[in-house]
Structure formats: structure tokens, C-alpha cells
Amino acid sequence: MKLKKLSLRTRIFIVMILLVLLASILIAGVAIYQYNEETTDYHTQRLERKEQNIKNHIKDVLNARENTWEVKTRNIPLIFKDKISSIAVIHKLQVNLYDLEGSLLITSKAHLKPDEEDKCIATHILNAISHTANHRYVDKLKENGETYQSSYTYIYDNKFKPLAILNLPYLEKDDFLSKELSEFLGRLGVAYLIVLIIAIGIAFFLSKYITKSLKTISDKINATRLEKRNEKIVIYDTSEEISTLVESYNSMIDELEESAVKLAKSEREQAWREMAKQVAHEIKNPLTPMRLTVQNFQRKFNPKDENINTKVDEYSKTIIQQIDTMSSIASAFSNFAKMPAQQNETLNVVAITKLALDIFNEDYIVFNSDAEEIIATFDRTQLIRVVTNLVKNGIQAIPPDRTPKVIVTVSEDIQNVVITVADNGSGVAEENKTKVFEPKFTTKSSGMGLGLAMVKNIVETYKGNISFTTETNKGTRFTVVFPKHIA
């Protein structure tokens, strides 16, 4: 639990140091194990070499001309009476010769007496010598903290018949090798200490480098807010994993920003819908009584002055005109607030578009179509509203000093109907591109700024979309795409 509370940088640092320490311990352990193996091999091979040399020396004595004794087991003590000590001195090893029954014949150990335990070979040793392929046996034992080896092997005569048993007691002296091991481990310890210091420095900077990118990402994530514009992370020369994490964060920022824009737009539109409903309700209520009152006053008024009728008539017309204006405003808000109902009418988009353009009756409005008939499912009234609003918007975008031109095109692909309305107006300014479809946004001195917002609502209701391209002082092209058939 305590390790989990540590920072990632601290954990990386600790793990790297532990790995270095573990590697050092393993290497030291392997070195000691290798030393022990080499020491064992050294003593084993040394005893074998001495044994072979002594056997050759004994063979030379047996075959020497000055040997007047018959080479028999019983004559071994006589043959080696004057030679056994010199053999031991030359080879620096005690030499014991036993008969084939395991009884001591002669030894280089001067103080050994016949009644001592070394005079006989144990039965299991005799069995081991006689039953092994190389007729050799090595006995190992420890006394007073020292390790002894004692080898037993046959001595043969000239006819390769066993003559006696050669026994060589061997003391494993490791003083020199232990000193070498101590010196080696000392040097290794110094090297490990230097490596550990270097490893601590490398681990410190490496852990700092690894976690630096993660800390940057962590700080960015902690600072991420839905209500503000969040900055993307820019990190160079980093690992693949960190790059993947950065790309995921930047992708999340893009999605978050898009969601925030949609949410803000949805909130604004909802607020305007509620306001539009309220405005429509408040304005429409008094309009009809006002109109009836004025008209009734106009009918019943009995003028005596010959000019009074004209004056009253002008007054009435003015009031009615203002009432109509208020009604138009209320209708605009009401149309925007009310989501268009899907009538799912099967109609000819080409014919309905032509019908919508007939109300303009202007020569500069050009209509093009890929076919005479493009069948789709759409509400007739709403389709007319979409076309007329786009065309009206295009006409109003054309400056007074420019010859107007509006081109309306209807086309289709496999699944969709495409309507484009292009004008040669002033275009949309860069700072206004994101506000074009927002409610109440307008660059004109007249109008409520609800036309394009209403068109967008209608098109999206029918699972379509609307977009535009624009060039400053050259014109704007609006493109409406909606499916031919709604599932």
C-alpha cells in the first residue's frame, strides 16, 4: 500500500536501483559459485595428476635394475623400504601402500605404528575399487574445518595384474585461492559501488525525463475545462507510448471542443426558442383586438369635415401597417421556435423548387437541375421555406452597385438530394463564419436573423445537413444535403 502512494518518478527510481543491486548480488553469487566449482575441479585434477605421477614413479622403481627383489605383493615393503620416503618428498604427498586385502604394507608416514587405524582399508572402499571400471575410489571427509581427499587405486605389475593398493591422503589447502577470491570480491565491490553511484544518477535523470512528459500531460488534463478553450499538448522527441497518449488527449480535446460548441449552440437555440414562444404569445394576443377596433372605428366614424375621412383613413392604415409588422415579427419568432413537423410527403424536389422560385420573378435567378424529376420524402411547405430563405439571403448579400446573380441547382446521388444556392455577393467575413447559423445573428440592418437558423433546424430534422463555402467579394454557396428517404 505504501508503494502505491509513491509517485511514479519515485517508483521508477527505486525499481531501477533495486535492479542494479539485484544484478550486483547475482553477479557476486555467480562469481562465488564459479570460484567454488573451479576450486573443486582444481583439487580433483591436482590429486589425479599427483596420483598418476606417483604411480609412474612406483612403476619405475619396480622395473629398476637395482631392484633385486621379485615383484610380489609380499615383497613391496622390501622393495620400497628405502624409496617410499623419497617418493613422498619428491611429490610432496604422503604415500601408503596396501595389499589387495587392505592391510598396510608400507607408508611414508614415519610415526605410523602397526596398531593404528590406518593399517587397514575399509571393506566398502575395497569393494568400490574392485567393482568400478577404473578401479579407483576417492574418499572425502572434513576434520577441524579442513577438507581431506583420500584416493585409492591399484598398482599393477608388468603383466597388468593388481599388485597393491596405492593410497594418497590429500589436504585441500585453499588459503591462496581464498585470498584471491577476497581480492576479487573487493575489486568487484568497488566496481559495483561506482556502478551503483552512476546508476543512481542515471535513474534520477531518466525517471525525471520519463515523468516530465507525463507531468505535462497531467497538468493539461487537470486544467481541462468544458467551458473554456483548451490547449493541445505539443511534445517532441518522446517515446511511442507517450506520443500515443498525447495524440489521444489532443483527439479528446477536439471532441470536447466540438461537444462544447454543440452544447453552447443547443443552449442558445433552446433559450431563443423559449424567448420566441414568449414573444409570440405576448405580441399575438393584442393584435387581433387592436385590428378589429381600428377597423370598426373606421366603419362607424361619421366625418363632417371633408378632409377628416382622409386623415382617419391614413391613421387607420398606419396602425394596421404597424400591426402587420408586429404580426410578421411574431410569426418569424414563432416559426423559429416551432420545430417543423415531418409530413413525410413523397414529392418531386425539382418541381417544388421551381414553385418556390416563382414568387421572386427575377431574371437574375437561374435554376439548373440534373433531371426533370427527383423524388424524395420531405414536407412541401418546409422545402419551399428552405429554398426561399436561402435565395432571399443570397439576394440580400449582393451589394447595390453589383449586377445580381443567384444560381439554384438541384442534383442527386445514390442516396441523397443536393440543393445549392450560389450568389455573387460580398461573401461571409472570416470572423462571422462560425456564427452564420446562430439565431438572431445578422449583418443586415433589417430582418430578425432567424432565416438561416430556421433552415438549419428544418434540414437537420430531416437528417440532413447544410454547409457553405465563401470568398470575400466573390460570393457564397450554400449546400443542402438530405436523404431521399427517411428510415
mmCIF file of all heavy atoms in Angstrom, residues 18 22 39-40 56 80 82 92 113 120 232 270 334 362 406:
data_model
loop_
_atom_site.group_PDB
_atom_site.id
_atom_site.type_symbol
_atom_site.label_atom_id
_atom_site.label_comp_id
_atom_site.label_asym_id
_atom_site.label_seq_id
_atom_site.Cartn_x
_atom_site.Cartn_y
_atom_site.Cartn_z
ATOM 1 N N LEU A 18 16.973 -0.971 -7.418
ATOM 2 C CA LEU A 18 16.831 -2.364 -6.988
ATOM 3 C C LEU A 18 17.325 -3.329 -8.059
ATOM 4 O O LEU A 18 17.931 -4.365 -7.745
ATOM 5 C CB LEU A 18 15.371 -2.657 -6.631
ATOM 6 C CG LEU A 18 14.857 -2.007 -5.342
ATOM 7 C CD1 LEU A 18 13.384 -2.335 -5.141
ATOM 8 C CD2 LEU A 18 15.661 -2.475 -4.138
ATOM 9 N N LEU A 22 20.185 -5.959 -7.416
ATOM 10 C CA LEU A 22 19.911 -7.375 -7.663
ATOM 11 C C LEU A 22 20.907 -7.960 -8.651
ATOM 12 O O LEU A 22 21.416 -9.077 -8.451
ATOM 13 C CB LEU A 22 18.476 -7.540 -8.181
ATOM 14 C CG LEU A 22 18.035 -8.982 -8.498
ATOM 15 C CD1 LEU A 22 18.088 -9.830 -7.239
ATOM 16 C CD2 LEU A 22 16.625 -8.991 -9.074
ATOM 17 N N THR A 39 37.604 -24.333 -7.651
ATOM 18 C CA THR A 39 38.432 -24.864 -6.564
ATOM 19 C C THR A 39 38.300 -26.377 -6.465
ATOM 20 O O THR A 39 39.296 -27.106 -6.329
ATOM 21 C CB THR A 39 38.015 -24.209 -5.234
ATOM 22 O OG1 THR A 39 38.190 -22.797 -5.322
ATOM 23 C CG2 THR A 39 38.845 -24.744 -4.081
ATOM 24 N N THR A 40 37.033 -26.839 -6.548
ATOM 25 C CA THR A 40 36.798 -28.281 -6.502
ATOM 26 C C THR A 40 37.487 -28.983 -7.665
ATOM 27 O O THR A 40 38.150 -30.029 -7.489
ATOM 28 C CB THR A 40 35.296 -28.568 -6.521
ATOM 29 O OG1 THR A 40 34.684 -27.930 -5.399
ATOM 30 C CG2 THR A 40 35.017 -30.061 -6.451
ATOM 31 N N ASN A 56 53.587 -43.626 -11.790
ATOM 32 C CA ASN A 56 54.704 -43.766 -12.743
ATOM 33 C C ASN A 56 56.037 -43.927 -12.008
ATOM 34 O O ASN A 56 56.907 -44.716 -12.430
ATOM 35 C CB ASN A 56 54.756 -42.547 -13.664
ATOM 36 C CG ASN A 56 53.565 -42.491 -14.612
ATOM 37 O OD1 ASN A 56 52.968 -43.525 -14.923
ATOM 38 N ND2 ASN A 56 53.210 -41.292 -15.072
ATOM 39 N N PHE A 80 60.343 -51.052 -1.407
ATOM 40 C CA PHE A 80 60.181 -49.610 -1.213
ATOM 41 C C PHE A 80 60.686 -49.148 0.150
ATOM 42 O O PHE A 80 60.391 -48.034 0.589
ATOM 43 C CB PHE A 80 58.696 -49.221 -1.364
ATOM 44 C CG PHE A 80 58.209 -49.326 -2.779
ATOM 45 C CD1 PHE A 80 57.612 -50.489 -3.239
ATOM 46 C CD2 PHE A 80 58.378 -48.277 -3.655
ATOM 47 C CE1 PHE A 80 57.162 -50.573 -4.541
ATOM 48 C CE2 PHE A 80 57.937 -48.368 -4.951
ATOM 49 C CZ PHE A 80 57.320 -49.525 -5.421
ATOM 50 N N ASP A 82 63.621 -48.223 1.136
ATOM 51 C CA ASP A 82 64.457 -47.026 1.047
ATOM 52 C C ASP A 82 63.926 -45.998 0.041
ATOM 53 O O ASP A 82 64.515 -44.912 -0.100
ATOM 54 C CB ASP A 82 65.892 -47.428 0.669
ATOM 55 C CG ASP A 82 66.540 -48.341 1.696
ATOM 56 O OD1 ASP A 82 66.252 -48.131 2.903
ATOM 57 O OD2 ASP A 82 67.273 -49.242 1.280
ATOM 58 N N LYS A 92 55.662 -34.406 -2.576
ATOM 59 C CA LYS A 92 55.059 -33.617 -1.504
ATOM 60 C C LYS A 92 53.685 -34.148 -1.118
ATOM 61 O O LYS A 92 52.706 -33.404 -0.985
ATOM 62 C CB LYS A 92 54.941 -32.151 -1.918
ATOM 63 C CG LYS A 92 56.282 -31.506 -2.207
ATOM 64 C CD LYS A 92 56.111 -30.056 -2.636
ATOM 65 C CE LYS A 92 57.473 -29.423 -2.927
ATOM 66 N NZ LYS A 92 57.364 -28.002 -3.345
ATOM 67 N N LYS A 113 52.222 -46.446 13.412
ATOM 68 C CA LYS A 113 52.512 -47.734 14.041
ATOM 69 C C LYS A 113 51.519 -48.790 13.558
ATOM 70 O O LYS A 113 50.394 -48.464 13.193
ATOM 71 C CB LYS A 113 52.440 -47.599 15.564
ATOM 72 C CG LYS A 113 53.490 -46.643 16.123
ATOM 73 C CD LYS A 113 53.370 -46.540 17.620
ATOM 74 C CE LYS A 113 54.431 -45.575 18.177
ATOM 75 N NZ LYS A 113 54.336 -45.446 19.645
ATOM 76 N N CYS A 120 44.536 -50.600 7.946
ATOM 77 C CA CYS A 120 43.591 -51.363 7.119
ATOM 78 C C CYS A 120 42.675 -50.427 6.326
ATOM 79 O O CYS A 120 42.384 -49.310 6.753
ATOM 80 C CB CYS A 120 42.743 -52.284 7.997
ATOM 81 S SG CYS A 120 43.682 -53.612 8.769
ATOM 82 N N LYS A 232 -3.888 22.204 -26.854
ATOM 83 C CA LYS A 232 -3.387 20.864 -27.112
ATOM 84 C C LYS A 232 -1.967 20.734 -26.580
ATOM 85 O O LYS A 232 -1.272 21.709 -26.361
ATOM 86 C CB LYS A 232 -3.411 20.562 -28.614
ATOM 87 C CG LYS A 232 -4.814 20.478 -29.200
ATOM 88 C CD LYS A 232 -4.763 20.089 -30.663
ATOM 89 C CE LYS A 232 -6.168 19.958 -31.244
ATOM 90 N NZ LYS A 232 -6.139 19.562 -32.674
ATOM 91 N N GLN A 270 -32.052 26.748 -27.563
ATOM 92 C CA GLN A 270 -33.150 26.465 -26.641
ATOM 93 C C GLN A 270 -33.634 27.749 -25.969
ATOM 94 O O GLN A 270 -34.844 27.964 -25.807
ATOM 95 C CB GLN A 270 -32.676 25.438 -25.588
ATOM 96 C CG GLN A 270 -33.753 25.027 -24.594
ATOM 97 C CD GLN A 270 -34.900 24.298 -25.269
ATOM 98 O OE1 GLN A 270 -34.721 23.645 -26.301
ATOM 99 N NE2 GLN A 270 -36.090 24.410 -24.705
ATOM 100 N N SER A 334 -42.170 32.779 -33.976
ATOM 101 C CA SER A 334 -42.951 31.566 -33.787
ATOM 102 C C SER A 334 -42.476 30.453 -34.715
ATOM 103 O O SER A 334 -42.377 29.293 -34.327
ATOM 104 C CB SER A 334 -44.434 31.860 -34.024
ATOM 105 O OG SER A 334 -45.191 30.688 -33.827
ATOM 106 N N GLU A 362 -37.595 37.094 -60.809
ATOM 107 C CA GLU A 362 -36.439 37.915 -61.161
ATOM 108 C C GLU A 362 -35.624 37.174 -62.222
ATOM 109 O O GLU A 362 -35.399 35.969 -62.118
ATOM 110 C CB GLU A 362 -35.564 38.187 -59.927
ATOM 111 C CG GLU A 362 -36.253 38.906 -58.795
ATOM 112 C CD GLU A 362 -36.532 40.359 -59.121
ATOM 113 O OE1 GLU A 362 -36.003 40.853 -60.150
ATOM 114 O OE2 GLU A 362 -37.269 41.018 -58.360
ATOM 115 N N VAL A 406 -28.058 34.896 -58.894
ATOM 116 C CA VAL A 406 -28.271 33.793 -57.954
ATOM 117 C C VAL A 406 -28.543 32.537 -58.759
ATOM 118 O O VAL A 406 -29.428 32.527 -59.623
ATOM 119 C CB VAL A 406 -29.446 34.077 -56.992
ATOM 120 C CG1 VAL A 406 -29.662 32.891 -56.064
ATOM 121 C CG2 VAL A 406 -29.180 35.340 -56.176
#
